[in-house]
Amino acid sequence: MIRGRIESLRKNMKEHGIDAYIIPSSDNHQSEYVGEFFKSRAYISGFTGSAGVLVVTMEEAGLWTDGRYFIQAESQLRDTGIKLFKMGEEGVPTTEEYIVNTMKENSVLGFDGRLISAKEGNDLKEKLRSKNVSIKYEYDLVDKVWEDRPSLSGEKAFLLNIKYAGETFSSKLKRLRDEMKLKGANIHVITTLDDIAWLFNIRGRDVKYTPVVLSYALITLDEVYLFINEDKLNEEIITELSKENVIIKPYDSIYEFVKSINLDEKILLDENKVSYSIYNNLPREVKKINGFNPTMNFKAVKNNIELENIRNSHLKDGVAFTKFMYWLKTNIGKIEISEISASEKLEELRREQEGFIEPSFATIAGYRDHAAMMHYSATKESDYKLEPKDLFLIDSGGQYYDGTTDITRTIALGEISSELKKHFTAVVRGMIDLSMAKFLYGVKGYNLDILARRPMWNIGLDYKCGTGHGVGFLGTIHEAPNGFRWRINPQRLETATLEEGMVTTNEPGIYIEGSHGIRIENELITKKAEKNEYGQFMEFEVVTFAPIDIDAIDVNDLNREEREYLNNYHKLVYKKISPYLEEDEAQWLKNYTKEI
């Protein structure tokens, strides 16, 4: 099936005179997670992970993905003829290096210019210049192969009430225009869906798990254009937008609209986010100011109303997860439970919570060796039955009107080996040590990553991913620009100074292929501590509240400070969560949050 799709693609490549074709994971907005219509790379390759790039030439096909997906990709690409390129591994070329080395003199590179960023497209163009390679970016060749392709989402948008957002659209717009003036721009093009959702205080259901609306925005110093399917907008949204005289244009009309921009304009845009197609449709004479969308930094720093809402959403989420853990621990070995049915049970408990909309990402529920795949997704064919032994990892979250949550717990379903306890305790220690960090203002996430990773490194282990990522407010589960990782990855914008009000996950792990996976994840709010002659000190507030399984901890491996932290954390879990539980659940929680 996959081989047939690739051959059909090659046939279309030949008809259009294209020698190599790039199929990325993104949509027209450079999104990490995309709607069903945009899952071209998954359709052609069979690899369903959220991150990856497929390059097809007339001779071979290669797929690039990162360490989160190596195990999954090896499995899904088996017998497809597609070669796996493990990004970041020694001796593995980047997609750009591969294309530059593979393309022959006077050949043609193709891609859908709406799916490739301006920076990526321009870099390729420049590096292929010496070989006189031309680029055709007008064709979506996958569309010619994908006969039963889903249609674009027709879901309605909704207005995010000020009691959740904490700031009006008008206020955000003024802040944005002030920043545009500082940068010397009189036009700003925004194509990223989460930035548009935040700025306009609108949300939608166009991307599963991510409450955004397919749209583009063009902001001038006195006008606002929103490119969107107008059928998505209700009267409440239209009334709100009319306060700033927002001009509504058809979704796809932006490509023609930007061609008519006056030549003396100065346009602020992010070349890493604006598509190659939009960039090339801008008049060549227009001055382009390349820089991050100001809204990226604005929305990363949550206001006080958002923070209070976030705390509330995590309280509800903690209740749901604690009820789930009680259900799992008390029923394992008594009733049939599988990876899928466990995931369904957790979602059912979340749906009982006020303001729940949908999961914030596809739940990762992996038993035993399945947990070694960081982004494993159970299918009917792979669905393990859970037994009263070994470890079960479940990484999940919820989109609530008052926040976005992301929590991981690894749970002992029975007796576990000393090795598993050693690994589990190392992960818990890493999570605790980062949580306890106190640091001077100006520190970035990569300055602190060693705190989480050190217990693993001390026993000669590591995990091939970052330690944490920013989280949006009723937005994307992975939000730039804050995060924790030990080395800078140019593909992931996570190098910002940790500002008061930023929300970041803390999720170290251990993943042993063919054996087990362990991850413990809490979310942290960055906040100010004392200020003195040395400067402004900062610290973290934990907002995730659910038990960490003491059945899997080797207490002897914890130092005094770590043990005290865990005991104090569990006291807080009991205090916050127990009032919302049934009597038997609360008694169980009391036992699982006892001092160790």
Side-chain angles (χ1 to χ4, degrees):
M1 181 170 64
I2 298 302
R3 290 177 182 270
R5 290 172 184 174
I6 291 173
E7 285 310 309
S8 295
L9 179 68
R10 285 182 174 136
K11 181 181 176 183
N12 281 285
M13 288 166 57
K14 190 172 183 180
E15 288 174 3
H16 289 84
I18 292 171
D19 300 291
Y21 194 75
I22 306 172
I23 307 174
S25 301
S26 60
D27 58 12
N28 297 349
H29 309 272
Q30 303 304 303
S31 306
E32 179 181 14
Y33 296 106
V34 302
E36 295 302 312
F37 174 86
F38 293 104
K39 294 184 177 179
S40 299
R41 187 225 64 224
Y43 177 78
I44 294 294
S45 70
F47 168 63
T48 58
S50 67
V53 177
L54 179 66
V55 178
V56 178
T57 70
M58 289 300 177
E59 291 77 34
E60 68 176 353
L63 183 128
W64 281 254
T65 193
D66 61 58
R68 296 171 297 167
Y69 295 109
F70 288 169
I71 301 172
Q72 178 182 340
E74 283 176 341
S75 173
Q76 291 183 324
L77 295 181
R78 195 171 293 124
D79 300 323
T80 63
I82 299 171
K83 181 179 179 181
L84 174 61
F85 290 84
K86 297 181 177 181
M87 293 168 64
E89 296 288 281
E90 188 175 347
V92 176
T94 64
T95 52
E96 186 179 87
E97 290 168 344
Y98 174 86
I99 289 165
V100 170
N101 292 332
T102 302
M103 299 297 292
K104 297 175 182 176
E105 296 276 344
N106 304 311
S107 59
V108 178
L109 174 66
F111 51 77
D112 182 346
R114 296 169 298 181
L115 307 180
I116 297 283
S117 73
K119 170 123 185 9
E120 186 179 357
N122 288 331
D123 284 351
L124 282 167
K125 183 178 180 180
E126 183 61 33
K127 292 186 177 179
L128 291 168
R129 193 185 300 277
S130 63
K131 287 187 170 183
N132 198 34
V133 172
S134 58
I135 291 176
K136 290 185 178 179
Y137 65 91
E138 303 87 355
Y139 306 113
D140 177 5
L141 296 188
V142 176
D143 196 57
K144 299 177 183 298
V145 177
W146 198 347
E147 294 178 359
D148 56 347
R149 187 174 193 169
S151 57
L152 283 173
S153 168
E155 293 281 348
K156 302 288 186 182
F158 63 91
L159 187 70
L160 186 64
N161 193 290
I162 189 67
K163 71 179 182 179
Y164 299 123
E167 184 180 6
T168 64
F169 165 49
S170 297
S171 171
K172 293 176 178 180
L173 186 60
K174 182 183 183 305
R175 281 208 281 156
L176 176 56
R177 283 174 168 156
D178 288 346
E179 192 68 18
M180 288 167 59
K181 291 172 189 174
L182 284 174
K183 294 180 181 295
N186 50 18
I187 293 179
H188 180 34
V189 177
I190 313 177
T191 62
T192 39
L193 301 180
D194 56 328
D195 287 302
I196 294 169
W198 178 87
L199 175 64
F200 289 85
N201 281 341
I202 58 175
R203 301 292 193 271
R205 303 292 292 272
D206 286 344
V207 180
K208 194 174 183 181
Y209 310 127
T210 308
V212 292
V213 189
L214 291 173
S215 53
Y216 305 93
L218 189 144
I219 314 294
T220 75
L221 296 180
D222 49 22
E223 290 180 314
V224 178
Y225 295 90
L226 181 62
F227 299 84
I228 191 170
N229 178 351
E230 195 166 358
D231 291 343
K232 292 178 175 292
L233 306 179
N234 58 33
E235 285 302 317
E236 187 182 24
I237 295 173
I238 291 171
T239 299
E240 193 65 24
L241 297 183
S242 68
K243 293 176 183 177
E244 292 294 338
N245 301 312
V246 175
I247 301 163
I248 307 297
K249 294 279 188 181
Y251 172 62
D252 276 328
S253 66
I254 188 168
Y255 298 97
E256 287 300 314
F257 186 88
V258 297
K259 290 179 181 178
S260 62
I261 290 175
N262 292 332
L263 304 187
D264 58 349
E265 304 287 11
K266 299 177 180 65
I267 302 179
L268 173 64
L269 50 78
D270 186 347
E271 292 181 13
N272 284 298
K273 298 298 182 182
V274 167
S275 74
Y276 190 73
S277 290
I278 288 178
Y279 188 90
N280 279 284
N281 280 9
L282 291 168
R284 200 166 287 180
E285 299 86 350
V286 166
K287 181 179 179 182
K288 303 174 186 72
I289 303 169
N290 180 38
F292 300 135
N293 296 336
T295 46
M296 178 185 72
N297 289 317
F298 291 165
K299 72 180 182 341
V301 177
K302 277 58 178 178
N303 61 52
N304 287 332
I305 291 174
E306 286 176 316
L307 290 173
E308 278 308 304
N309 282 316
I310 285 168
R311 293 182 183 102
N312 192 52
S313 67
H314 277 278
L315 181 61
K316 293 183 290 188
D317 207 62
V319 170
F321 191 88
T322 302
K323 283 175 172 285
F324 167 77
M325 190 169 168
Y326 163 79
W327 170 83
L328 181 63
K329 282 278 198 177
T330 55
N331 284 295
I332 189 67
K334 298 175 185 175
I335 63 173
E336 186 174 290
I337 304 174
S338 72
E339 293 168 333
I340 291 176
S341 68
S343 302
E344 291 171 343
K345 179 65 177 180
L346 179 52
E347 183 174 336
E348 174 190 316
L349 291 166
R350 278 199 171 98
R351 290 193 181 280
E352 294 174 0
Q353 303 302 313
E354 183 183 1
F356 178 81
I357 300 171
E358 64 177 337
S360 53
F361 55 95
T363 297
I364 300 163
Y367 181 47
R368 301 177 71 174
D369 58 302
H370 280 172
M373 295 182 271
M374 293 181 204
H375 281 220
Y376 167 74
S377 181
T379 64
K380 288 181 180 178
E381 292 74 31
S382 70
D383 191 24
Y384 275 170
K385 298 292 184 290
L386 308 188
E387 302 174 53
K389 61 180 181 180
D390 299 317
L391 295 175
F392 174 58
L393 182 155
I394 187 156
D395 184 354
S396 64
Q399 295 285 8
Y400 299 83
Y401 285 104
D402 46 5
T404 300
T405 68
D406 185 358
I407 175 177
T408 309
R409 291 292 184 265
T410 304
I411 301 167
L413 300 183
E415 287 297 315
I416 61 173
S417 68
S418 58
E419 181 191 39
L420 291 182
K421 278 197 173 185
K422 183 181 182 68
H423 289 179
F424 186 96
T425 309
V427 173
V428 172
R429 292 184 66 211
M431 189 276 295
I432 289 173
D433 293 352
L434 179 54
S435 300
M436 291 192 296
K438 191 171 185 178
F439 50 96
L440 278 167
Y441 175 76
V443 160
K444 301 173 188 290
Y446 56 77
N447 300 132
L448 301 179
D449 184 87
I450 180 62
L451 296 175
R453 224 171 272 264
R454 184 170 178 263
M456 274 65 78
W457 282 4
N458 280 349
I459 56 175
L461 296 173
D462 188 33
Y463 44 98
K464 294 178 181 293
C465 62
T467 297
H469 55 83
V471 180
F473 181 87
L474 190 51
T476 55
I477 196 64
H478 296 142
E479 181 183 82
N482 46 304
F484 301 114
R485 58 179 62 243
W486 71 272
R487 60 181 171 189
I488 296 172
N489 180 350
Q491 305 298 319
R492 300 187 70 88
L493 186 61
E494 294 176 334
T495 57
T497 294
L498 293 169
E499 302 281 356
E500 182 179 35
M502 284 181 168
V503 180
T504 317
T505 66
N506 171 10
E507 47 182 312
I510 288 175
Y511 309 93
I512 307 298
E513 185 174 354
S515 178
H516 60 276
I518 301 164
R519 180 161 64 249
I520 305 291
E521 174 186 21
N522 282 347
E523 285 187 36
L524 308 173
I525 295 175
T526 304
K527 57 187 291 189
K528 288 179 179 176
E530 72 268 25
K531 187 176 184 180
N532 55 30
E533 68 270 28
Y534 302 105
Q536 177 66 61
F537 280 89
M538 311 293 287
E539 60 189 3
F540 294 124
E541 172 193 346
V542 178
V543 290
T544 306
F545 292 100
I548 294 165
D549 194 353
I550 56 177
D551 289 342
I553 291 177
D554 185 340
V555 181
N556 295 320
D557 282 353
L558 297 175
N559 64 34
R560 179 185 56 80
E561 194 177 20
E562 291 162 348
R563 190 163 56 249
E564 284 181 2
Y565 179 93
L566 183 60
N567 287 336
N568 288 332
Y569 172 75
H570 273 154
K571 283 178 186 174
L572 267 177
V573 170
Y574 184 78
K575 179 181 177 182
K576 288 178 176 289
I577 301 299
S578 62
Y580 303 95
L581 303 179
E582 300 294 334
E583 188 177 341
D584 54 346
E585 295 169 332
Q587 187 58 46
W588 174 89
L589 180 61
K590 190 171 187 178
N591 182 51
Y592 268 89
T593 54
K594 66 186 177 186
E595 285 201 1
I596 59 171

